[in-house]
Amino acid sequence: MATETLTLGKALNTGLRRALENDPKVIIMGEDVGKLGGVFRITDGLQKDFGDQRVIDTPLAESGIIGTAVGLAIRGYRPICEIQFDGFVYPAYDQIVSQVAKMHYRSGGRLSIPMVIRIPYGGGIGAVEHHSESPEAYFAHTAGLKVVTCANPQDAYVMIQQAIASDDPIVFLEPKRRYWEKGQVDLDAPLSEAYPLHSARVVRPGTDVTVLAYGPMVRTCLEAATAAAEDGRELEVIDLRSLSPLDLTAAYESVQRTGRAVVVHEAPSNIGLGAELAARITEKCFYSLESPVLRVTGFDTPYPAARVEEEYLPDLDRVLDAVDRTFGW
Amino acid sequence: MAKGDPGGTTRSRRAAPRSKKGAAGDPELVQLLTPDGERIESHTSPDGTEYRVDFTDEEYRGLYRDLVLVRKLDAEATALQRQGELGLWASLLGQEAAQVGSGRALRAQDMAFPTYREHGVLYCRGIDPIMPLGLFRGVDQGGWDPNEFKFNMYTIVIGAQTLHATGYAMGITMDGKTGTDDGEAAIAYFGDGATSQGDVNEAFVWASVFNAPLVFFCQNNQYAISEPLERQTRVPLYQRAAGFGFPGVRVDGNDVLASYAVTRTALDNARHGQGPSLIEAYTYRMGAHTTSDDPTRYRIASEVEAWQAKDPITRVKAFLEKQQIADAAFFAEVDEQARRESVHLRERVLDMPNPEPVTMFDHVYPNGSPLLDEQRAQFTRYMESFEGSAH
């Protein structure tokens, strides 16, 4: 088994390389993805090895990146579009929700748009405005799109390849503050037999409270679980991995055991993923719940200046505080 | 360029007029058939491009037949909307020559990306004219196979399809399908209003820098719903191409021969690897934007009458008569065919079945979705719970 220690960013790079090797129809397009290797270097070295017809530096136009990729997909290509930062995706929003998401439906299944839209998202890196947002709810709300996010290098390596191989258009959210975190990656992990793309995973078993997280917050919640264990509380942490469709099988089973649930995400709470999760868990687990499903989220403000983002972002203390509150009912 | 000459060498010939009315003047208009039906042998543009057509009598008659049929079917659809059989219709009345001319210039291997008004191009692609009526009746979302007919779905969001066409054309290049007589090309249709959209301008940039084998075909019908051309531009639209680095040409969009000639030339240039070009088909929307619109609120009758004199069909008929290419029996036969086909269209529209409600869950995702499967199952159970349910 070829296991290597890789950062999450390098794992994505290795996964992209595999996809380019395996399918000549796979192309990467975006701003600065070629010679520079992307502003986060996720596409580092790929243009050098696959040429500028496979790894395409584009004009600075996000709607153009997505819109031309639609045409390339109709032509039979499998474009992977890189949006440089979360806050820059909005000029392409119309193409994503009106065209990419609906083309299969509108054509009665005759056209597929097998596109992956990679977006580095979330805060925690001290960036300026428009560089730290969590736009997942916009996309998860759109029928026809699938939305996934990875939280560790192994998932990053496998999920990016699964997303590229899928005929569904997929918004692939990359937790940019975790790009540099290392983990073991099994490079021979068989994609079809590995965890399916749209499945959640219990990443820490526990008995007292179910904690639901995804992307950058998974690690935060695991740290909270370690701290809680010192106080004698066992948190069960579930990495959702897929935000649309949601896989809540494990969550329902867990909440029916623990009777308590806390949802954690960086995005603002109002009309966010947490609301959907709380509603579904309440519907399915009403008689098992000992307390309301609580949310720990960013605030309902624009993403704030970097010097206060530590207060904006859910951290270990806020997660533990919510856990405490679930015992107050 | 001489040192200190900021203007370059190409802009001196005719500066863009600044006066309000002159902005959309006619500095160059390719025309091969006058409104009176006089043939103009050929047109040579300032860049040296010569436009001409060499049709057989049979082909001239064929173009006339196309124009009449397309107008008649469009009129039938408008009538169907007025009678409540369609939710909406976007009429092409007045734009038949631009659509038939460009549509007949397409080769089988070329791919077209239409707006929601390209019924004439659709007809030329060999698609059953019933197809777009499902969309406007609300029983489907457009029923043809874009790959089979090389004609993409109608696009209602203004200008979005120009980027799709650009990407598709980039794919043609990546597939190595340019540079020969049987190379491929793509064509993107849009209106004058669309030229204000970001997507169209992004498409111009992309097509230019990637030298995409693409023809941008703008039907300047003078109005974007109620907004006149002056609300979109201060320079003639075809001149914008120069700023993006590819040629632009204005053609008499009510002249089917000239529309054919410029489109064929542009497509051939594209398929031979010479990159994109912009055609501005200068025409007029004789009817409303859609059946929901009331053009009497924003334009005057004398303007409509002036354009009526440039009608795309009467000039072909005059030409055919003068040249004795067609006789009264031919015109009567075409009219009779148009009548028959429109009656047939009407009968079939009325027979279009409503879709089974549960089909709304179909084709959301190529690979399905468990959440959607659950909703479909819930919906089915709910529908079956009604008394007297057939199931």
Side-chain angles (χ1 to χ4, degrees):
Chain A
M1 191 165 79
T3 301
E4 277 188 43
T5 303
L6 298 177
T7 63
L8 189 148
K10 184 65 182 170
L12 287 166
N13 176 272
T14 310
L16 290 168
R17 176 176 290 277
R18 279 283 168 88
L20 285 163
E21 283 167 355
N22 292 341
D23 184 350
K25 290 295 185 183
V26 169
I27 53 175
I28 293 176
M29 48 201 293
E31 298 160 8
D32 305 306
V33 298
K35 281 189 180 146
L36 182 67
V39 291
F40 289 106
R41 308 293 185 270
I42 305 304
T43 55
D44 189 29
L46 298 180
Q47 189 185 64
K48 182 171 152 286
D49 294 341
F50 294 93
D52 60 9
Q53 297 275 304
R54 303 285 307 282
V55 182
I56 303 167
D57 272 325
T58 67
L60 273 280
E62 285 76 14
S63 190
I65 294 170
I66 303 299
T68 54
V70 168
L72 281 157
I74 292 171
R75 181 78 194 176
Y77 286 86
R78 305 184 81 86
I80 306 163
C81 298
E82 176 172 307
I83 297 294
Q84 210 163 57
F85 282 93
D86 34 55
F88 302 166
V89 74
Y90 307 117
Y93 189 69
D94 168 59
Q95 282 287 346
I96 297 173
V97 304
S98 301
Q99 307 297 330
V100 175
K102 294 179 178 146
M103 201 65 86
H104 187 72
Y105 191 69
R106 288 168 52 218
S107 68
R110 294 180 187 90
L111 295 181
S112 292
I113 308 295
M115 187 192 297
V116 176
I117 301 166
R118 296 180 37 240
I119 309 175
Y121 85 116
I125 64 164
V128 296
E129 61 176 356
H130 311 303
H131 288 69
S132 304
E133 304 187 4
S134 298
E136 60 266 29
Y138 298 125
F139 299 112
H141 190 64
T142 301
L145 294 179
K146 290 186 172 175
V147 185
V148 303
T149 178
C150 53
N152 61 64
Q154 179 71 60
D155 271 355
Y157 173 73
V158 171
M159 288 173 75
I160 189 67
Q161 293 182 75
Q162 291 173 323
I164 296 164
S166 170
D167 285 338
D168 296 316
I170 292 177
V171 175
F172 193 94
L173 298 168
E174 301 173 359
K176 69 169 87 81
R177 68 195 284 196
R178 307 299 183 203
Y179 270 150
W180 301 276
E181 292 177 6
K182 290 181 178 170
Q184 291 285 303
V185 177
D186 173 8
L187 295 173
D188 295 332
L191 302 186
S192 54
E193 294 164 31
Y195 257 85
L197 184 59
H198 300 293
S199 63
R201 175 156 46 198
V202 177
V203 288
R204 178 184 170 117
T207 50
D208 297 329
V209 181
T210 302
V211 178
L212 297 173
Y214 54 86
M217 283 292 107
V218 173
R219 175 170 164 169
T220 305
C221 292
L222 286 171
E223 288 167 356
T226 302
E230 289 167 16
D231 298 335
R233 278 189 185 143
E234 292 299 330
L235 310 189
E236 178 147 303
V237 181
I238 295 177
D239 178 359
L240 289 169
R241 298 169 79 250
S242 175
L243 309 184
S244 182
L246 286 162
D247 170 22
L248 295 180
T249 316
Y252 296 149
E253 189 279 323
S254 176
V255 173
Q256 277 157 5
R257 256 190 300 112
T258 64
R260 293 177 170 81
V262 173
V263 182
V264 184
H265 60 61
E266 287 188 20
S269 65
N270 191 39
I271 328 291
L273 258 290
E276 180 67 30
L277 290 161
R280 286 184 181 270
I281 289 168
T282 305
E283 279 181 27
K284 269 282 199 289
C285 309
F286 186 71
Y287 292 107
S288 306
L289 284 169
E290 303 287 341
S291 73
V293 181
L294 295 186
R295 288 173 285 174
V296 182
T297 69
F299 299 112
D300 294 317
T301 67
Y303 196 86
R307 293 301 172 97
V308 294
E309 71 178 344
E310 290 305 321
E311 284 68 41
Y312 173 90
L313 292 167
D315 62 4
L316 187 147
D317 288 336
R318 281 173 61 194
V319 174
L320 291 176
D321 179 62
V323 166
D324 284 345
R325 281 189 285 131
T326 65
F327 285 91
W329 260 270
Chain B
M1 188 190 302
K3 195 179 176 192
D5 172 10
T9 54
T10 56
R11 71 170 232 183
S12 60
R13 204 171 39 80
R14 276 194 206 95
R18 281 303 181 92
S19 75
K20 184 168 172 282
K21 214 47 202 168
D26 47 9
E28 189 202 2
L29 189 75
V30 180
Q31 192 179 66
L32 298 178
L33 189 62
T34 71
D36 298 329
E38 296 295 335
R39 266 293 265 120
I40 298 164
E41 191 57 29
S42 74
H43 177 105
T44 305
S45 285
D47 67 0
T49 308
E50 192 189 11
Y51 298 104
R52 62 164 65 236
V53 293
D54 186 18
F55 287 119
T56 64
D57 288 355
E58 187 56 38
E59 286 166 334
Y60 281 126
R61 286 191 293 264
L63 285 173
Y64 176 80
R65 188 183 301 271
D66 288 339
L67 294 169
V68 171
L69 283 171
V70 161
R71 175 170 292 184
K72 181 71 175 173
L73 293 169
D74 180 78
E76 189 62 49
T78 301
L80 282 162
Q81 195 281 332
R82 293 296 183 224
Q83 293 157 12
E85 299 295 343
L86 301 179
L88 185 76
W89 184 247
S91 168
L92 62 58
L93 185 62
Q95 299 177 219
E96 297 87 350
Q99 295 197 14
V100 168
S102 61
R104 285 297 178 211
L106 293 168
R107 295 216 214 148
Q109 70 268 29
D110 298 332
M111 179 76 177
F113 289 81
T115 73
Y116 43 79
R117 202 190 296 283
E118 262 63 80
H119 323 308
V121 186
L122 176 140
Y123 186 86
C124 291
R125 291 312 266 170
I127 298 171
D128 185 337
I130 190 85
M131 285 300 179
L133 276 73
L135 173 69
F136 290 99
R137 188 170 167 84
V139 300
D140 63 36
Q141 313 220 341
W144 62 93
D145 184 337
N147 291 316
E148 181 189 349
F149 294 99
K150 293 268 184 180
F151 185 82
N152 205 47
M153 288 172 295
Y154 279 1
T155 305
I156 291 183
V157 176
I158 302 299
Q161 77 283 3
T162 59
L163 282 169
H164 308 163
T166 305
Y168 187 93
M170 289 167 65
I172 292 174
T173 305
M174 287 156 66
D175 290 344
K177 300 286 189 183
T178 60
T180 61
D181 281 345
D182 59 356
E184 296 181 40
I187 186 166
Y189 287 90
F190 53 102
D192 41 303
T195 63
S196 299
Q197 287 279 353
D199 275 5
V200 173
N201 287 273
E202 291 186 25
F204 287 170
V205 172
W206 283 67
S208 177
V209 301
F210 290 105
N211 202 44
L214 175 62
V215 176
F216 291 106
F217 194 91
C218 174
Q219 288 167 84
N220 176 359
N221 67 12
Q222 313 298 329
Y223 287 91
I225 306 189
S226 69
E227 297 196 13
L229 189 61
E230 298 91 84
R231 270 287 177 262
Q232 317 299 334
T233 186
R234 282 176 63 168
V235 299
L237 291 175
Y238 77 96
Q239 290 181 0
R240 287 198 186 172
F244 292 93
F246 50 85
V249 60
R250 175 181 282 184
V251 64
D252 182 343
N254 287 16
D255 174 353
V256 70
L257 304 184
S259 294
Y260 177 94
V262 297
T263 310
R264 185 185 58 183
T265 299
L267 285 167
D268 280 344
N269 288 343
R271 82 177 81 253
H272 281 101
Q274 292 170 45
S277 49
L278 168 65
I279 295 169
E280 178 191 2
Y282 203 72
T283 182
Y284 195 77
R285 190 190 76 213
M286 295 303 293
H289 161 67
T290 70
T291 43
S292 300
D293 172 33
D294 176 10
T296 63
R297 283 174 174 247
Y298 55 80
R299 62 188 195 191
I300 53 175
S302 61
E303 180 183 287
V304 180
E305 283 160 21
W307 277 93
Q308 224 139 28
K310 302 178 189 174
D311 185 83
I313 297 183
T314 53
R315 72 173 74 180
V316 178
K317 189 173 186 185
F319 164 68
L320 295 180
E321 284 171 335
K322 277 181 205 171
Q323 298 298 313
Q324 298 184 327
I325 294 171
D327 56 16
F330 168 79
F331 295 121
E333 184 262 309
V334 170
D335 286 345
E336 172 55 21
Q337 183 191 353
R339 191 197 62 78
R340 260 195 337 267
E341 291 198 14
S342 70
V343 169
H344 187 47
L345 183 76
R346 156 173 298 265
E347 289 166 354
R348 291 192 297 154
V349 166
L350 301 183
D351 282 345
M352 275 180 144
N354 288 342
E356 286 297 321
V358 75
T359 59
M360 78 172 98
F361 295 100
D362 293 345
H363 306 304
V364 180
Y365 299 94
N367 290 338
S369 158
L371 290 180
L372 202 59
D373 292 346
E374 188 185 321
Q375 253 178 28
R376 182 207 310 264
Q378 282 170 358
F379 175 80
T380 304
R381 282 196 300 275
Y382 174 73
M383 295 300 277
E384 286 172 354
S385 71
F386 286 95
E387 238 181 288
S389 164
H391 304 287

